[in-house]
Amino acid sequence: MLTALFDRADRPVVACLAAIGLAAAVLIGKDGLETVAGCGIANDDYPSKTAKDWVTQADHVVVATPTAEQEINRRAFTKGPSGYATDRSVTFRMDDVLWSANSPRHSIGESFDMVAAGWRVYSESGARMKATSAYAPRLETGHTYLLALRWSGDRWVVLGEGAAVPFDDQTVARGEWCGRVLSEEDVARGERFSRVEDKSLEKLLVGQDEEAVERELDGVRVKRAR
């Protein structure tokens, strides 16, 4: 889990990390453009972008809502401004299963837990900074998500940054992303300015509902069966 590099919200900027070969900002905002930092470097454990990736790599694709969280894995620092960092154990309510593999590695129940990005706490002030995963939701209570899940190492994980999608109000790309709350219009606007090579399922289905997700996943299943 990597800490987000947030710029001041009242100052429109574009964060550019071309020197290390990645676009670090998605431009959003209703009252002018402001920068949401790219949340670190994407390092997916499994291919996670497309419907084919989800069907090939995941055990289940679900709609789920975090209902509780607790801090875990506290790590103290002896140098620098940060006193310690934590992860979070997040409990999800499983709202709907949109797709399951023919032979999933593990069944999924009415609730499940996952490890998510936590906090970085400064020594002097005690201020807490949200940690985030690369180009992905932080997975916060009060929001709903579309998740492509895989059973790995005796626990549930999302395939990668492309497999955790904001899904408030049953709408793709509406909700919490990198610790901020975005509308699907915000995301669509940002996609026009950055990540132009993104061919993800999220980008394809921005603003659509779970039926559209099911159609894309079933379409892959049909093609594979031919």
Side-chain angles (χ1 to χ4, degrees):
M1 303 298 182
L2 296 171
T3 300
L5 306 176
F6 289 114
D7 276 293
R8 287 176 52 193
D10 60 349
R11 184 178 59 186
V13 295
V14 176
C16 179
L17 297 181
I20 56 174
L22 64 110
V26 172
L27 303 180
I28 65 163
K30 296 182 177 64
D31 301 317
L33 296 176
E34 63 183 33
T35 297
V36 173
C39 309
I41 301 170
N43 185 24
D44 290 354
D45 290 329
Y46 305 95
S48 70
K49 304 292 186 185
T50 66
K52 182 179 179 180
D53 291 338
W54 289 22
V55 168
T56 302
Q57 302 294 331
D59 293 304
H60 306 281
V61 175
V62 306
V63 177
T65 301
T67 58
E69 65 179 33
Q70 63 180 21
E71 294 184 6
I72 59 171
N73 300 335
R74 179 166 170 158
R75 304 175 297 281
F77 302 111
T78 58
K79 296 181 180 180
S82 297
Y84 66 91
T86 73
D87 297 326
R88 290 176 301 139
S89 176
V90 181
T91 299
F92 290 80
R93 180 188 69 231
M94 210 282 294
D95 299 327
D96 200 2
V97 178
L98 305 188
W99 176 90
S100 290
N102 291 332
S103 299
R105 296 167 187 83
H106 200 281
S107 60
I108 192 163
E110 295 182 355
S111 66
F112 60 94
D113 295 332
M114 285 201 306
V115 176
W119 300 90
R120 182 173 291 266
V121 181
Y122 289 102
S123 300
E124 292 189 6
S125 65
R128 296 160 63 85
M129 175 181 283
K130 291 180 177 181
T132 59
S133 301
Y135 289 116
R138 195 177 123 83
L139 304 177
E140 297 184 334
T141 57
H143 296 281
T144 299
Y145 302 91
L146 177 65
L147 305 171
L149 299 175
R150 182 182 177 106
W151 187 255
S152 177
D154 296 325
R155 64 190 180 105
W156 290 113
V157 299
V158 293
L159 298 178
E161 58 91 3
V165 177
F167 201 60
D168 285 359
D169 304 318
Q170 304 293 301
T171 302
V172 172
R174 178 186 295 176
E176 181 270 319
W177 186 88
C178 278
R180 304 248 185 129
V181 179
L182 308 184
S183 70
E184 61 272 30
E185 290 83 6
D186 292 331
V187 173
R189 185 182 300 117
E191 296 287 7
R192 291 200 295 270
F193 286 95
S194 67
R195 304 182 71 196
V196 293
E197 300 302 320
D198 185 358
K199 307 299 182 183
S200 68
L201 184 62
E202 177 180 7
K203 183 174 181 179
L204 175 68
L205 298 181
V206 164
Q208 299 189 55
D209 60 13
E210 64 181 45
E211 291 184 359
V213 178
E214 290 175 314
R215 285 196 299 270
E216 289 297 320
L217 299 177
D218 287 342
V220 174
R221 192 199 300 267
V222 169
K223 289 179 181 178
R224 293 182 69 191
R226 288 175 180 172

